[in-house]
Amino acid sequence: MRELLLIGIGTGNPEHVTLAGVRAMRTADLILIPRKGPDKADLADLRHQICASALEGAATRIVEFDLPVRDASGDYRTGVDAWHDAIAAAWGAAIEQHPEARTVALLIWGDPSLYDSSLRIAARIPELRVKVIPGITALQALTAAHAIAVNEIGAPFIVTTGRQLRGQGWPAGVDTVAVMLDGSCSFQALDPEGIDIWWGAYLGMAEEMLISGPLAERSAQILSERTEARANHGWIMDIYLLRRRR
Ligand SMILES: C[S@@+](CC[C@H](N)C(=O)[O-])C[C@H]1O[C@@H](n2cnc3c(N)ncnc32)[C@H](O)[C@@H]1O
């Protein structure tokens, strides 16, 4: 049976890759790198950089494949399911072109367990035995960059998306909320009084940006600096932690 290694690579700093990740990359026969189009080229290029530093002297082959584009016209869940089917087919086609490769690896942004679909996509290819090598998540990169703990003593926290925060408001039962996948600064939908924010973009990369403080005072600054950075780089990835002051 062929093995599929899902290797967490962290959030942009090649030094986020663990020793176990490097070892897995070096034992793989083939590493598949998705091409998402010119606007996301940095992420494919970064995967190539990680390969260049991890694979010196190894026999691992690197092959790029085109990542299918999601059809966003209809129902969200139906579109995502169809997209995952298409990605599984693209993985399968790329793997079939290399029948000699018994161990195939994908370099997964952050960790495969957090807001990532690679495990769900891999489940569509039952003839592959899946192994996960954990990576540093964007949430860990954020809390480390700000030198904060994610939870208060003995208290729970929630990790959610911008879409959920916008639609549902502050989640019940927690004072700490981490927000990912937010293209619209959904913290604007909240009453900022009594809330602190720790925001980070391009975490782990040379362009890293960090802003923190009372939401009421930092909201406008984050909006304007985020807009400017996105225009300069052509893309942005950001994450933030919100905490209600007791
Ligand atoms: C599809 S999810 C992938 C998460 C990833 N699996 C992880 O473990 O962090 C992408 C989201 O992660 C966050 N993210 C990933 N990399 C980031 C980075 N370098 N800086 C800030 N946020 C990042 C952003 O919220 C982005 O919208």
Side-chain angles (χ1 to χ4, degrees):
M1 202 180 195
R2 274 183 163 154
E3 192 167 54
L4 178 68
L5 306 178
L6 300 178
I7 305 175
I9 56 167
T11 63
N13 181 346
E15 294 187 356
H16 283 181
V17 184
T18 64
L19 291 176
V22 170
R23 190 174 303 120
M25 288 172 69
R26 295 179 66 83
T27 56
D29 300 308
L30 180 68
I31 294 180
L32 297 178
I33 297 194
R35 269 278 169 207
K36 298 183 184 174
D39 57 329
K40 298 260 187 164
D42 303 53
L43 304 189
D45 292 348
L46 195 115
R47 285 180 169 89
H48 278 290
Q49 271 176 41
I50 290 172
C51 287
S53 68
L55 294 180
E56 204 185 325
T60 311
R61 289 189 66 176
I62 302 167
V63 167
E64 287 192 352
F65 70 99
D66 288 327
L67 197 70
V69 177
R70 180 162 70 88
D71 177 1
S73 59
D75 171 65
Y76 175 72
R77 277 305 298 263
T78 311
V80 168
D81 276 345
W83 185 48
H84 289 171
D85 288 343
I87 296 174
W91 289 4
I95 292 170
E96 284 318 313
Q97 284 172 19
H98 299 273
E100 74 292 350
R102 304 312 301 164
T103 305
V104 179
L106 283 150
L107 307 182
I108 307 300
W109 202 255
D111 181 80
S113 69
L114 185 65
Y115 287 113
D116 183 89
S117 296
S118 47
L119 281 161
R120 276 180 286 272
I121 296 166
R124 287 164 158 81
I125 318 177
E127 55 275 23
L128 294 175
R129 188 174 59 235
V130 177
K131 186 173 173 197
V132 173
I133 292 90
I136 290 174
T137 68
L139 180 56
Q140 290 169 290
L142 177 77
T143 53
H146 284 287
I148 54 166
V150 68
N151 63 291
E152 293 183 296
I153 298 174
F157 63 93
I158 275 183
V159 186
T160 189
T161 64
R163 177 193 291 253
Q164 289 285 335
L165 190 70
R166 256 188 340 271
Q168 314 296 323
W170 189 280
V174 289
D175 285 325
T176 300
V177 183
V179 184
M180 304 175 70
L181 290 161
D182 186 3
S184 7
C185 294
S186 304
F187 51 76
Q188 296 172 93
L190 302 171
D191 174 358
E193 274 322 303
I195 297 175
D196 289 322
I197 186 167
W198 290 265
W199 175 86
Y202 311 105
L203 292 163
M205 306 181 191
E207 304 88 344
E208 182 170 283
M209 298 168 71
L210 298 173
I211 296 175
S212 63
L215 183 58
E217 291 170 24
R218 296 289 179 262
S219 181
Q221 182 192 356
I222 293 170
L223 282 169
S224 75
E225 293 195 20
R226 187 184 189 282
T227 305
E228 193 183 332
R230 185 163 193 255
N232 288 341
H233 300 304
W235 64 281
I236 191 162
M237 272 203 280
D238 61 337
I239 177 171
Y240 51 91
L241 192 102
L242 300 168
R243 186 130 54 213
R244 272 190 183 137
R245 247 168 277 137
R246 293 272 174 96

